[in-house]
Amino acid sequence: MPHTADVRVEAWAPTREECVAEAVAALVECFADPGGAAPTGTGGFDVPAGRDEDLLVGVLDEVVFRLETEGTLPVATEVSGDGGLRVRWRTVGTDAVELVGAVPKAVSLHGLRFDRDATGWSCAVTLDV
């Protein structure tokens, strides 16, 4: 990204829910290597129905929030929903993974994209680090 404190991640999948799960993995992998980390916890939350972009940002914001407040990050994510989203993940403490980049501080709305085309869903998100 032109701004040195930004990272851009992209994800794609056949369904909206799978695309959100892939975006979570991309967010985590931009700063951590969860490769061999075995999950030590579980978590989840619901995002109420809204615009697709708002749902995506809500999920990614929750990852950043839990990273900052609990020191945990998801290593496996399952997303389901009809309107809103139900997110369930297996987590690991940040002390169990190698940090390989700057830790995200927020999800930016600038340049946010989340849409569907003939091949499935894709998104692009800028993270403030």
Side-chain angles (χ1 to χ4, degrees), residues 83-105:
L85 296 176
R86 171 161 282 187
V87 179
R88 300 294 173 255
W89 49 35
R90 292 185 303 240
T91 61
V92 66
T94 54
D95 57 342
V97 299
E98 178 182 358
L99 298 180
V100 295
V103 176
K105 300 296 181 201

Side-chain angles (χ1 to χ4, degrees), residues 7 9 25-32 100-102 104 127 129:
V7 172
V9 296
L27 184 156
V28 170
E29 291 172 3
C30 82
F31 71 94
V100 295
L127 305 168
V129 295

Side-chain angles (χ1 to χ4, degrees), residues 22-127:
E22 289 294 326
V24 169
L27 184 156
V28 170
E29 291 172 3
C30 82
F31 71 94
D33 179 7
T40 56
T42 59
F45 63 99
D46 297 329
V47 181
R51 294 179 338 126
D52 292 325
E53 294 88 353
D54 296 337
L55 297 174
L56 175 64
V57 170
V59 172
L60 299 179
D61 277 343
E62 187 70 17
V63 174
V64 173
F65 174 76
R66 292 190 186 206
L67 175 65
E68 291 176 350
T69 61
E70 300 174 357
T72 62
L73 53 102
V75 291
T77 304
E78 295 177 13
V79 180
S80 60
D82 185 20
L85 296 176
R86 171 161 282 187
V87 179
R88 300 294 173 255
W89 49 35
R90 292 185 303 240
T91 61
V92 66
T94 54
D95 57 342
V97 299
E98 178 182 358
L99 298 180
V100 295
V103 176
K105 300 296 181 201
V107 178
S108 173
L109 300 180
H110 178 73
L112 174 66
R113 184 182 54 76
F114 187 38
D115 49 30
R116 181 180 185 185
D117 64 19
T119 61
W121 287 80
S122 65
C123 66
V125 179
T126 301
L127 305 168

